[in-house]
Amino acid sequence: MIENDAEIRRTVLARDAFRREAHLPPLNIEEEVSKGCKLAASKAASELYDEQCQRYASDRQRIRDEIIAEMRSGGNLTFPNGWAGNYHLSTLVEKRFQSFLLNGVGDAK
């Protein structure tokens, strides 16, 4: 995690001090610290996912190609066609890629 709880708490307390100086209502310290921790965890997870997307780019492309082949073999010879087809494709790729990651498989570890 980029920020730890103590750093987040210091930041929140500093913000609260500025608010007092400006005669604004005080912050709910625990609520703000909780929000900060959740935001930091979300950012860390997003960075990890981006790293995995780069590390397994060839697997992600293979998954995309497999889905296109499956859809075209089912009779939709122009898949993905239009924005709806591309949206559907990206949704299927994400779902299958996340499953791939959860199964701990990959060609570049």
Side-chain angles (χ1 to χ4, degrees), residues 35-50:
K35 285 179 187 178
C37 289
K38 287 177 185 175
L39 182 61
S42 176
K43 183 178 179 186
S46 179
E47 289 171 355
L48 173 62
Y49 186 70
D50 290 344

Side-chain angles (χ1 to χ4, degrees), residues 5-108:
D5 293 352
E7 289 178 54
I8 292 169
R9 185 170 296 281
R10 278 192 297 274
T11 302
V12 169
L13 290 172
R15 285 178 44 223
D16 192 48
F18 284 128
R19 291 179 65 83
R20 277 195 309 270
E21 290 174 14
H23 303 288
L24 294 171
L27 294 173
N28 179 331
I29 303 298
E30 295 309 313
E31 185 178 307
E32 292 297 316
V33 168
S34 177
K35 285 179 187 178
C37 289
K38 287 177 185 175
L39 182 61
S42 176
K43 183 178 179 186
S46 179
E47 289 171 355
L48 173 62
Y49 186 70
D50 290 344
E51 177 188 314
Q52 290 172 324
C53 286
Q54 291 175 8
R55 183 182 315 150
Y56 298 112
S58 62
D59 292 304
R60 191 178 175 89
Q61 183 62 45
R62 178 186 47 77
I63 289 168
R64 184 181 186 282
D65 294 342
E66 288 172 359
I67 292 171
I68 290 172
E70 289 168 13
M71 297 301 274
R72 288 181 179 174
S73 71
N76 189 350
L77 301 178
T78 59
F79 184 82
N81 43 350
W83 71 267
N86 282 297
Y87 178 79
H88 183 58
L89 174 62
S90 66
T91 302
L92 293 173
V93 170
E94 277 303 307
K95 188 174 184 178
R96 207 174 284 183
F97 183 66
Q98 289 175 9
S99 176
F100 166 84
L101 291 174
L102 288 173
N103 290 324
V105 202
D107 63 0

